[in-house]
Structure formats: C-alpha cells, structure tokens
Amino acid sequence: MKKFIEMCGRHPFATGLFALLGIAGLYLSIHGFMVDRAESKQTTEDIISISDSLSKLNENVILSDPELKDKKIKVPIYFDMPNSYIDNIVFNASLIDINKEMTYQEAESTMHNIMDTKDYSTSNPLYAFSVSSIANKNFVQIAPYLLIDVFKVEKISEQLAGFYFGERGGSAVLREFNGTLFPKEGIHIAPMINSMKGGYVENVDYISLEPGEIEEFLLQLNFLPNYYYDFKIGIQIKFNGVSSIYWHTEKFHRGVPMDKIPMIGFGDKKFKTKYHPDIEWEVSSNENMKHLIERIKKDNIAYRRSRVFNLSMVDIDGPVEIDK
C-alpha cells in the first residue's frame, strides 16, 4: 500500500485516473440507487393499481349479485308517513274569547292560528303510512303488530277548550292496526286487526315484503282520557336473519280530556260544553272505563300469541302491562 501511494505521488496521471474512477464509481452507485428506487416506486404503484382493480372487480361482482347487495344493506325498508290533516285540537281556554260567536271560516282560521303557536294538543286517531322494501332479492318480514313508544306522560290539568271538525273520510288500506295508550311510559302494542270482520288477525305470523314491494298501513290509536302522551311509532322487522326495530322520526303529542269542555264543531257558531267526540264512551261510567282497560289487556294477549316475532328478539322485555 505504501508503495502504491508513493507511485501515485510520483505519477500525477495515475492519481487523476484513480480520482476519475472514484467519481465514476460514485455516479454508478447513485444511478443504481435511483434506478432501484424508481423500480420500487413503480412496483408499489403496480400493487396499488392491481388492488384497485380487484376492489372494482369485487364491487362489480357485488353489484351483479342481488344477494350480496342485500348483505350490504343496513336499513332494508323505507318508512313513509306523510303529514296527516289535523281535524281537532284542544288548547288553553284563556287563549281566546270562548263566548264570541264565530262563522265556520272564523273558527277554522282561529284553529289554525292556535296550531301555529304550537300550544295545543290533538287526538287524531288515524296514522296512515307506507312501508316499502329496498331489498334486491331477500324478503323482509314485518311483525303482525306495530309499536308505540310512549316516552312521556302528563296529566291534563289546565282548563281547555277545543275545535273539532271531524273531517275524516274512508280509506282503502290492506293492513290495519289498533292500539290503546294508557298513562305508563314504555312500549305499547297495536295488533293487526280485521277491520271488515272485527277482532284480531290470528292466522298471520308476519307480513312479508318482497323486493320493491310497498304495503299500506293504517294505525288507529285510542287514548285513555285525561292524559297527554308523547310517543313515536315503530315497526319490528327481520332481514338477513337479523331482527330490529325502525322508528319513524316524527314524534307525536296527543291526548283527550276526560271532562266536558267548551267546543266548536262543524255547523256550530258558539262553543258548547260537551265531551270531546274522540272519547269512545262516556268516561264517567266505571263500566265503560273497565271495558277500555280490558281491551288494552287483550291487545297484550294478542301480542303474546305471535309465533314468529316478540320483543325479546330486540332486547326488550315486552310491552308495558296495565296495572291490575
């Protein structure tokens, strides 16, 4: 080595040559590194491109297979409840002069002015809506009952007056349900009924929706009088082997006063003190109130006869029971 260094010192040409060779080696090293890096980057891009292609291929397979598409659906139904016409309200009697004579147009206008203030309740018993399936292949099973979640109950205490026009026409519906609310928070049941023959529908374990099918529902609710009820309406379904409840987003505030109150109805010009027309019986009669309570109990018995659906499937113990 010592001789090699001495020789380089004696021969400048050799020294320059070795320097150039060193630079060339460094260049080749850098070039090789850059080539390797470019190839590595290209390889990574190729892998990403292949992965994207496989993902798109997988998506295309899913899109072409209705059963695979159904497995990706989280909510297989569309629950549509259009705003219903309100034909009656009750409100604090101090809001207007109940001794004033009114034409029908004035009474209707006054009713809607009070509705604009949101300071009222109604006892509209009818709730019409449609349920449609958005599934691609599998059927959606719907329980033979509807659910009413009462999340707040208040006793009616203020002095009320009311408007009642009762503008309710007939409707052609395929599935009809009837339930009664009583002053207890929790899940209440509205079993499916046979509106033509009367009584509960007992030979239907569930309603089946095929892909794209629409079913029309009509819910009629009765209210144990003297209370306000805040509630929402839901349906229990089973799809892809999974049971769940879907609640409509609208929340309702309903109730019927027990006592006679001043009311204006169709054709009236003055308020007349009487029972609210949505009270099914003269509620001062203990026998009639007993009959209403018995019907609530029968609703729960009808629910327990269901052979396919029950609330334990969605981790709910069951509907609330009326006090004995």
Side-chain angles (χ1 to χ4, degrees):
M1 184 68 179
K2 182 177 180 183
K3 289 182 178 181
F4 174 75
I5 293 172
E6 289 174 351
M7 184 183 70
C8 289
R10 291 194 298 267
H11 300 281
F13 173 77
T15 302
L17 178 62
F18 284 119
L20 289 173
L21 290 173
I23 293 171
L26 177 62
Y27 169 77
L28 290 173
S29 297
I30 294 173
H31 177 72
F33 173 75
M34 295 301 291
V35 169
D36 289 343
R37 186 166 182 181
E39 289 178 349
S40 175
K41 181 180 179 183
Q42 183 62 46
T43 302
T44 302
E45 289 176 351
D46 290 343
I47 292 172
I48 292 173
S49 177
I50 292 171
S51 178
D52 289 343
S53 298
L54 288 174
S55 295
K56 289 178 181 177
L57 178 61
N58 186 49
E59 288 177 6
N60 290 334
V61 170
I62 291 175
L63 289 174
S64 64
D65 188 329
E67 193 159 353
L68 289 177
K69 286 170 69 176
D70 280 354
K71 289 181 179 179
K72 295 175 70 69
I73 294 177
K74 294 183 179 180
V75 182
I77 59 170
Y78 178 61
F79 191 173
D80 181 34
M81 185 184 296
N83 293 329
S84 58
Y85 177 77
I86 294 177
D87 64 5
N88 75 90
I89 64 172
V90 294
F91 53 92
N92 194 302
S94 64
L95 286 178
I96 63 171
D97 181 3
I98 61 174
N99 295 313
K100 179 183 177 182
E101 187 171 306
M102 295 184 186
T103 65
Y104 171 76
Q105 289 77 15
E106 288 172 334
E108 190 173 45
S109 175
T110 304
M111 171 179 166
H112 286 283
N113 287 339
I114 293 172
M115 288 171 62
D116 288 341
T117 70
K118 309 295 183 184
D119 190 14
Y120 74 95
S121 179
T122 180
S123 56
N124 269 39
L126 301 178
Y127 305 81
F129 55 94
S130 62
V131 178
S132 55
S133 167
I134 62 171
N136 300 278
K137 181 177 180 180
N138 298 328
F139 280 61
V140 179
Q141 294 178 340
I142 300 177
Y145 51 79
L146 296 180
L147 304 173
I148 302 93
D149 182 11
V150 177
F151 54 87
K152 184 179 180 181
V153 177
E154 294 177 283
K155 192 163 186 176
I156 296 176
S157 58
E158 70 267 41
Q159 295 296 313
L160 299 176
F163 290 100
Y164 183 94
F165 297 115
E167 297 172 353
R168 300 169 188 170
S171 56
V173 293
L174 296 177
R175 309 291 184 179
E176 188 167 341
F177 301 79
N178 198 310
T180 303
L181 300 189
F182 57 97
K184 201 169 185 180
E185 294 177 6
I187 302 296
H188 295 58
I189 292 291
M192 188 157 62
I193 64 169
N194 189 321
S195 57
M196 301 300 292
K197 297 180 180 179
Y200 301 105
V201 175
E202 298 182 357
N203 59 346
V204 175
D205 292 327
Y206 55 85
I207 301 165
S208 186
L209 279 185
E210 66 180 53
E213 184 180 3
I214 301 174
E215 283 276 10
E216 300 297 327
F217 289 66
L218 178 68
L219 169 63
Q220 179 165 335
L221 281 182
N222 309 291
F223 308 93
L224 201 68
N226 211 32
Y227 295 89
Y228 291 129
Y229 303 88
D230 290 279
F231 61 91
K232 57 185 179 180
I233 298 170
I235 57 177
Q236 184 177 348
I237 74 166
K238 188 174 182 181
F239 182 68
N240 286 339
V242 178
S243 296
S244 53
I245 297 177
Y246 291 99
W247 300 101
H248 194 268
T249 55
E250 186 173 358
K251 295 178 174 62
F252 300 93
H253 179 68
R254 300 287 189 263
V256 185
M258 177 179 285
D259 300 322
K260 293 180 178 180
I261 63 172
M263 295 199 68
I264 280 187
F266 184 79
D268 293 333
K269 292 185 177 181
K270 284 189 175 183
F271 283 90
K272 299 177 182 178
T273 301
K274 56 186 177 182
Y275 286 115
H276 192 289
D278 278 339
I279 294 178
E280 294 192 358
W281 302 280
E282 187 179 336
V283 294
S284 58
S285 166
N286 289 331
E287 282 301 312
N288 287 332
M289 183 62 74
K290 181 180 177 182
H291 180 69
L292 185 65
I293 292 172
E294 285 301 315
R295 191 169 73 181
I296 296 171
K297 292 180 180 179
K298 288 179 180 177
D299 287 347
N300 284 351
I301 292 172
Y303 153 77
R304 288 193 290 270
R305 283 199 296 262
S306 177
R307 292 170 292 187
V308 174
F309 279 90
N310 61 71
L311 290 177
S312 65
M313 299 165 68
V314 286
D315 296 326
I316 297 175
D317 291 336
V320 295
E321 298 283 350
I322 197 164
D323 295 333
K324 305 282 186 184

